[in-house]
Amino acid sequence: MKQINLTYKDKTYTLEYTRGAVAQMERAGFIVSDIYDKPVTTIPALFAGAFISKQKWIKPDVVEEIYKNIKGKDTLIEKLVEMYQETALSLLNEPEEDNEGNAAWEPNW
């Protein structure tokens, strides 16, 4: 799982997306493809969502302050989108081993 270490005011935060964090974001209405059509709401939500798995306790105003004071926002947002998409697509990963414990399926039509 990819992570970004971010330091602000001598405090280090770990930004990452887990399936649980992505599910929480989606339940709250987050749609990553809206980043182009609704950047004013989507970009801050993407950034805030990266704090969910490791820093649930962080207050929204602190996240906003960090975002306001961070440099290289365009590259950061690109990396966050990449991390978000990889997490979402991990639902399609195949089992690591081919064994009797794997589920099997076949169409019935």
Side-chain angles (χ1 to χ4, degrees):
M1 182 166 304
K2 292 183 179 178
Q3 298 178 331
I4 293 174
N5 292 324
L6 182 151
T7 303
Y8 180 68
K9 292 187 176 179
D10 296 325
K11 184 162 179 104
T12 300
Y13 302 90
T14 301
L15 306 183
E16 74 174 2
Y17 298 102
T18 61
R19 288 184 187 174
V22 168
Q24 183 177 338
M25 292 169 68
E26 289 177 354
R27 282 192 297 273
F30 181 82
I31 301 170
V32 74
S33 61
D34 283 348
I35 203 161
Y36 304 106
D37 296 330
K38 301 176 184 178
V40 175
T41 54
T42 308
I43 289 173
L46 177 72
F47 183 70
F51 287 84
I52 292 172
S53 65
K54 297 286 186 184
Q55 289 90 202
K56 288 182 183 182
W57 48 266
I58 195 167
K59 295 180 180 178
D61 58 325
V62 174
V63 173
E64 290 176 29
E65 179 183 336
I66 294 170
Y67 186 75
K68 178 182 171 187
N69 290 291
I70 201 164
K71 291 186 177 193
K73 287 180 178 79
D74 56 343
T75 304
L76 173 65
I77 295 306
E78 287 175 19
K79 294 297 180 190
L80 291 176
V81 168
E82 179 184 317
M83 290 166 54
Y84 180 93
Q85 290 175 327
E86 283 182 12
T87 302
L89 290 174
S90 72
L91 288 169
L92 300 176
N93 290 349
E94 295 290 330
E96 291 184 19
E97 295 183 17
D98 189 20
N99 62 42
E100 292 179 15
N102 291 344
W105 68 275
E106 61 183 56
N108 194 12
W109 66 82

